[in-house]
Amino acid sequence: MLAARGRQHDRAQRLAVARSNARLSPAELERAAPLGDPVLSMLGDAMGRLGLSARGYHRVWRLARTLADLEGIEAVGKESVAEALTLRALAHAVVAPAVTDRRSSPTGSCS
């Protein structure tokens, strides 16, 4: 994990972008994690299929950048984007039932 943080820091200095992948603006993300046409197409397809908002699209892209950093890979590829999409889907599958359960409770509490 320290190596991944080091890669983020080095890239931030080299490209004059935010130090953390989580804080990259969409414009900075394009410079820090450029995606090739096949990867952009894959992410665009997922946006339509999963109903991702623009914010969700960029969150997945940022996560893919972080996953590539953790693997020691400079370029964000299909593997990193696919893993980011999978993690997002898993997170939403776990959170959605909890939100639904709370709302269906007569008191609105989790007890």
Side-chain angles (χ1 to χ4, degrees), residues 3 8 17 28 31 65 76 80 84 86 101:
Q8 288 179 34
V17 296
E28 290 175 328
R31 292 196 326 263
R65 171 70 274 166
V76 177
S80 298
T86 299
D101 290 345

Side-chain angles (χ1 to χ4, degrees), residues 6-82:
R7 281 187 276 284
Q8 288 179 34
H9 178 75
D10 292 346
R11 185 173 39 254
Q13 287 186 323
R14 189 176 68 248
L15 300 175
V17 296
R19 286 183 56 152
S20 167
N21 291 339
R23 297 189 186 279
L24 291 170
S25 70
E28 290 175 328
L29 192 55
E30 289 181 15
R31 292 196 326 263
L35 301 177
D37 288 341
V39 182
L40 279 171
S41 176
M42 179 178 140
L43 191 51
D45 290 346
M47 185 178 189
R49 201 173 55 253
L50 300 174
L52 291 176
S53 64
R55 181 173 178 237
Y57 176 93
H58 287 102
R59 289 181 77 170
V60 168
W61 192 352
R62 284 185 198 93
L63 178 56
R65 171 70 274 166
T66 298
L67 292 169
D69 283 337
L70 288 169
E71 291 292 326
I73 301 168
E74 183 59 34
V76 177
K78 283 186 173 185
E79 297 81 10
S80 298
V81 171

